[in-house]
Amino acid sequence: MTSSPRTVSRNFLSHIRDVVKTKRTRDRERVFVLEGTKPILELLQSAPQHIVCLVVTPTFLERQPPEVAQQMVSSGCTVHSCPEHQLAQLSDVETSSGVLAIVHQPTWNQSAILAQPKIFGLYGDMLQDPTNMGTIIRTAAGLNVSALWLAPHSVDVFNPKVVRATAGALFQLPIFPHTSLEELQNLDCVIMAADAGTSEGCVPIRAIRSIPARTVLAIGSESRGLSEPVLDAATVRFTIPLKPGVESLNAAAATAIALFQLSGLPVEGGKA
């Protein structure tokens, strides 16, 4: 990076807009947009090689202490200057913080994860709500989940609303989208399914006293829950008991409760 940011071009602004709005562009270029001062500065400090470039407003730089500007300089990232009104048009938030980053999508080695003797994974069955997805990613990363596998037609994890809700956790949790039920079953893990509690053999989550060494917890969306094929493939079906009259929990809330409860259980000596 030079001592002063370069002025952003009209063509580059159009490109950033495509990255924000279009999954096809994000997939083709393997990038996404990260917004917010805190997650961007944290990424600059921990892994600047993931950042393609930064786009900042003049007032953003004026508001920052000298060490922040120095951090940008020492990172080696290209920095573009953009007027406030133009950045506001690109931003996915109501009030832009004055900075956004184009970031390389993280890549993960699934074979290395599956080679581990112990796995505590998560499977999302067609989760559609971006905020829920982001919260689930953040929760899973915080509770040391091995990886998140997502069924086809799930919301794009690099959707700006998902990215914002993860609060920077996208680089801490291995994620494998477009995972079919057949591929899930080939992971050599026991599937534990969060159920609404109406099916035969479904047990309260507190009745589970231990989990297999290789376990994947399957979670469905609020509107549909888990599909019947996923429920049929599960070795264990459990429910989170609720007060009468409360039909279901938000998918992110149910995931957080289930992950917290199950992650605290002892691991069985082998697979169930």
Side-chain angles (χ1 to χ4, degrees), residues 194-221:
D195 197 354
T198 57
S199 60
E200 185 178 351
C202 188
V203 300
I205 190 169
R206 288 196 182 97
I208 301 173
R209 301 300 183 189
S210 63
I211 60 172
R214 296 171 64 91
T215 294
V216 172
L217 166 64
I219 295 286
S221 65

